[in-house]
Amino acid sequence: TRNLISAKVIITEPLGDYTIADLLIGQYSIKAIVSPDLNLEENENIGITFPEKHIHIFDDKTGNSVDVNTRT
């Protein structure tokens, strides 16, 4: 599989059509929207990838979305 990043499952929140998974990557926590059919367990170590078209990055000071395709 391509470029897997190691993550630890903190908690999952099933919401019907999808599940929100709180993951820990090193010291950083992220939230991922995953299939409700994916059976994740708390404290499980998993490998994840990021589809580029679904990545959203925000400036931690302003809260504004950062356009990663803009080159200066």
Side-chain angles (χ1 to χ4, degrees):
T1 314
R2 60 180 195 129
N3 303 324
L4 286 179
I5 297 172
S6 296
K8 184 176 188 174
V9 179
I10 303 303
I11 194 165
T12 60
E13 183 179 358
L15 296 172
D17 291 340
Y18 60 92
T19 295
I20 296 177
D22 287 11
L23 307 173
L24 191 62
I25 300 174
Q27 65 184 19
Y28 302 101
S29 63
I30 65 166
K31 292 187 182 288
I33 297 172
V34 300
S35 168
D37 300 326
L38 191 60
N39 186 20
L40 299 174
E41 300 290 333
E42 287 185 24
N43 296 314
E44 178 180 7
N45 291 311
I46 61 172
I48 61 172
T49 60
F50 297 96
E52 287 185 31
K53 68 180 182 177
H54 296 295
I55 295 175
H56 304 282
I57 300 175
F58 298 90
D59 183 298
D60 63 346
K61 291 183 178 151
T62 66
N64 293 333
S65 178
V66 176
D67 182 359
V68 296
N69 295 316
T70 302
R71 304 212 190 268
T72 57

